[in-house]
Amino acid sequence: MSRTRTAILASMALVAGATGAAAAAAQADVGIAAIPCTVAYTVQNQWSTGFTAAVTVTNNSAAKSSWAVKWAYAGNQQVSSGWNAKFTQSGTAVTVANETYNGSLATGGSVSFGFNGSYSGTNAVPTTFTLDGVTCNVDGGTGPTDPGPTDPGPGTGTRVDNPYAGAKVYVNPEWSANAAAEPGGSRISSQPTGVWLDRIAAINGTGGKMGLRAHLDAALQQKGTGEMVVQLVIYDLPGRDCAALASNGELGPTEIDKYKTQFIDPIAAILADSKYAGLRIVTTVEIDSLPNLVTNAGSRPTATPACNVMKANGNYIKGVGYALGKLGDVPNVYNYIDAGHHGWLGWDDNFAPAADLFKQAATAEGATVNDVHGFISNTANYSALKETNFTINDTVAGKSVRESKWVDWNRYTDELSFAQAFRNQLVTAGFPSGIGMLIDTSRNGWGGTARPTGPGASTSVDTYVEGGRIDRRIHVGNWCNQAGAGLGERPKAAPAAGIDAYVWMKPPGESDGASSAIPNDEGKGFDRMCDPTYTGNPLNNNHMSGALANSPLAGHWFSSQFQELMRNAYPAL
């Protein structure tokens, strides 16, 4: 049954002396302009003990630089976590105040926010709302069975060739708030970024952060009547990131059953909710997992004991296969497998074996290659999109560019050439010919005053490459909070042949790992590659780490890095 509440309250003076039909008549006399504000409160989703609600407030009075909305519940509803605003509750009374980035509310302007809540018994919609102490008209508030006029309706259940084509992409309000709070951050705070599901607790939300349903509900609000892509990073494999410590996860190497039943299954169940069928959900499946089995396991000098364990027990293969199969069963989900980057898999010894390994994972645990829509390169990394000042075919002083210390016999110099070539190799390995590639450009711009404008001196192949390379890392294997990096190409659909989109799957400003040991309950260790004083290991040919100092735990906000990324953005902001 619909639970809509509409009250016509023209002004506080009218409220004091008018009830019922008289109030409505007063409204007709004074006109809509007399209504100081309107509120639309919608219960978007409800289950036995909880609900998700969205609220839109429109200000019809003088412009505001800050605001506060209040209401009271008739029952025992409790707000548990919210977004786009600050929530407090005392008894039945709820107060919602603006964040720093959305305090301005013009005359005729609107602001939207949402929250998750709990209840028992009934979940009645509040009947009275105030904006800065003035009572508002309650306009079109709805219960869960009455979706309201902006509901996007069900999806077709048919996947399109490129989910990004003709679609908006979801802007994570939590990342957007962090970005907008930074000086100059409003220039990019409306860019879409990935939502990282990096532990079981992230599914329902933890530490006051939005859970998966909250993000999907917010995406429905942003969607309107057009198409909307939501980008999710699925990232909690057993023995996660076996070659590093900063992003180790919560599950031990053998906890594959827990990964399936407590992580993938609940995510798949939420994504399969018909409420979200109108969204195009892009999943980036398990960053850094399968590439580690190619380069950091076996008898190679770069092998680590932890990666050898994961190769032997097969749980990376099983976990990725299971995720692809379960998520791929949802008609509006588009799975993209992480494919490292050119400085990881671009060498001849790694290139074809990686494609073959990915095929193995894509046909494990009931999955098929048809559960894979594509692959993503450079996620959470820094490899330049295009090295414009030299090519792999150049020869200097009788030596190929491949012989330079920087390229080091790699067959690719940048991410675009690697992604396009690797796509062809994947098709050769047995993936469908229609697969597409994503390239993460969130931190590979390398702009600023140090960006070279042409090749280096032709004295030797090394001076030629060193003087001209756009990627200014000390070594292509360096990956943690790299100094001098900048924002890259803004997210864009179908930018080049075989590329579905440039994306910001790694949210700029979120740390890769702590520069010193920090006790935590997130399973994140101290990796020396995040320590700016570290002199390296075989994975980066014993070079300095190139990491920024004073970095927080992986995934935590790193203000000084965000500022540097904006300064060095290319194209410039």
Side-chain angles (χ1 to χ4, degrees):
M1 181 179 68
S2 172
R3 298 199 309 279
T4 301
R5 300 288 184 266
T6 302
I8 307 300
L9 304 173
S11 66
M12 289 301 289
L14 285 171
V15 172
T19 60
Q27 161 61 22
D29 290 340
V30 300
I32 192 71
I35 300 174
C37 47
T38 60
V39 173
Y41 178 110
T42 303
V43 178
Q44 295 185 311
N45 189 34
Q46 182 172 304
W47 53 100
S48 59
T49 59
F51 66 101
T52 300
V55 182
T56 298
V57 180
T58 301
N59 173 38
N60 295 320
S61 57
K64 300 176 181 292
S65 58
S66 63
W67 50 265
V69 176
K70 296 183 179 181
W71 68 82
Y73 284 115
N76 63 350
Q77 297 98 321
Q78 292 288 321
V79 174
S80 56
S81 62
W83 50 93
N84 274 6
K86 299 172 182 175
F87 291 76
T88 56
Q89 184 169 355
S90 177
T92 61
V94 177
T95 300
V96 186
N98 63 275
E99 293 281 9
T100 55
Y101 61 89
N102 63 359
S104 297
L105 192 54
T107 303
S110 298
V111 64
S112 296
F113 49 86
F115 61 94
N116 289 326
S118 62
Y119 76 100
S120 61
T122 60
N123 182 26
V125 173
T127 58
T128 303
F129 296 81
T130 64
L131 174 63
D132 294 339
V134 178
T135 303
C136 301
N137 172 33
V138 184
D139 184 17
T142 63
T145 58
D146 184 358
T150 60
D151 182 75
T156 64
T158 302
R159 293 190 182 96
V160 297
D161 178 61
N162 181 356
Y164 290 86
K168 297 184 291 185
V169 187
Y170 173 59
V171 177
N172 179 348
E174 294 180 317
W175 177 83
S176 181
N178 284 332
E182 294 280 347
S186 60
R187 293 173 293 175
I188 64 165
S189 59
S190 62
Q191 292 290 350
T193 54
V195 174
W196 286 58
L197 300 175
D198 59 356
R199 46 184 167 154
I200 292 167
I203 299 171
N204 292 321
T206 182
K209 290 189 174 182
M210 298 166 65
L212 177 55
R213 281 193 179 274
H215 281 294
L216 296 175
D217 290 335
L220 288 176
Q221 280 197 301
Q222 292 182 19
K223 179 180 185 296
T225 57
E227 299 293 343
M228 169 66 72
V229 170
V230 180
Q231 303 176 124
L232 305 177
V233 177
I234 309 300
Y235 189 48
D236 199 27
L237 270 180
R240 191 179 75 190
D241 208 354
C242 57
L245 297 174
S247 48
N248 285 165
E250 64 185 349
L251 301 180
T254 63
E255 293 187 283
I256 185 65
D257 290 338
K258 188 174 182 180
Y259 173 79
K260 292 177 178 180
T261 61
Q262 296 187 34
F263 186 65
I264 295 300
D265 287 355
I267 292 172
I270 292 171
L271 299 186
D273 189 331
S274 61
K275 177 182 181 181
Y276 307 122
L279 298 171
R280 297 177 181 178
I281 300 170
V282 166
T283 60
T284 300
V285 178
E286 294 299 349
I287 311 303
D288 295 347
S289 60
L290 301 178
N292 268 319
L293 298 186
V294 178
T295 61
N296 298 323
S299 59
R300 297 183 180 220
T302 54
T304 68
C307 288
N308 280 332
V309 167
M310 300 316 300
K311 184 172 183 177
N313 68 24
N315 283 341
Y316 277 7
I317 297 289
K318 295 173 187 175
V320 169
Y322 188 81
L324 293 172
K326 290 289 288 190
L327 301 175
D329 286 343
V330 182
N332 55 314
V333 166
Y334 300 77
N335 287 323
Y336 290 79
I337 302 176
D338 182 69
H341 56 94
H342 90 275
W344 195 346
L345 301 183
W347 280 271
D348 293 341
D349 288 349
N350 302 335
F351 195 72
D356 293 338
L357 181 72
F358 294 167
K359 169 72 178 306
Q360 182 184 348
T363 52
E365 299 291 305
T368 75
V369 292
N370 293 322
D371 289 315
V372 180
H373 203 78
F375 291 76
I376 182 169
S377 75
N378 209 44
T379 314
N381 213 274
Y382 299 82
S383 295
L385 181 65
K386 299 176 186 177
E387 285 288 1
T388 55
N389 296 326
F390 58 88
T391 75
I392 202 69
N393 298 316
D394 291 351
T395 299
V396 179
K399 288 191 175 183
S400 164
V401 158
R402 292 189 70 198
E403 297 181 69
S404 66
K405 292 177 181 178
W406 171 255
V407 178
D408 192 25
W409 294 103
N410 199 315
R411 197 167 290 279
Y412 303 94
T413 61
D414 54 38
E415 282 310 292
L416 182 57
S417 63
F418 166 75
Q420 290 172 323
F422 196 54
R423 179 190 174 281
N424 293 336
Q425 184 65 42
L426 290 159
V427 173
T428 299
F431 286 95
S433 60
I435 58 170
M437 303 295 292
L438 305 176
I439 301 177
D440 194 328
T441 59
S442 60
R443 304 183 300 177
N444 71 347
W446 296 104
T449 57
R451 184 181 178 90
T453 57
S458 297
T459 310
S460 70
V461 71
D462 284 323
T463 58
Y464 179 75
V465 170
E466 285 299 309
R469 63 183 173 95
I470 290 167
D471 185 338
R472 296 193 300 275
R473 285 177 292 174
I474 297 171
H475 185 268
V476 73
N478 288 354
W479 54 267
C480 193
N481 299 325
Q482 292 298 283
L487 301 168
E489 290 281 350
R490 314 308 179 250
K492 181 189 305 182
I499 310 299
D500 283 350
Y502 296 151
V503 297
W504 284 8
M505 202 63 69
K506 169 70 175 183
E510 293 188 2
S511 174
D512 294 322
S515 54
S516 59
I518 299 176
N520 67 92
D521 60 359
E522 300 176 30
K524 296 169 183 174
F526 171 45
D527 196 299
R528 290 299 304 278
M529 288 297 289
C530 301
D531 177 358
T533 69
Y534 184 50
T535 56
N537 56 49
L539 292 173
N540 77 337
N541 284 349
N542 297 297
H543 285 80
M544 296 294 290
S545 70
L548 292 168
N550 303 314
S551 58
L553 288 172
H556 291 224
W557 190 253
F558 190 5
S559 177
S560 60
Q561 183 196 47
F562 184 79
Q563 288 294 329
E564 182 169 84
L565 290 172
M566 288 195 296
R567 283 195 302 272
N568 294 330
Y570 189 88
L573 297 178

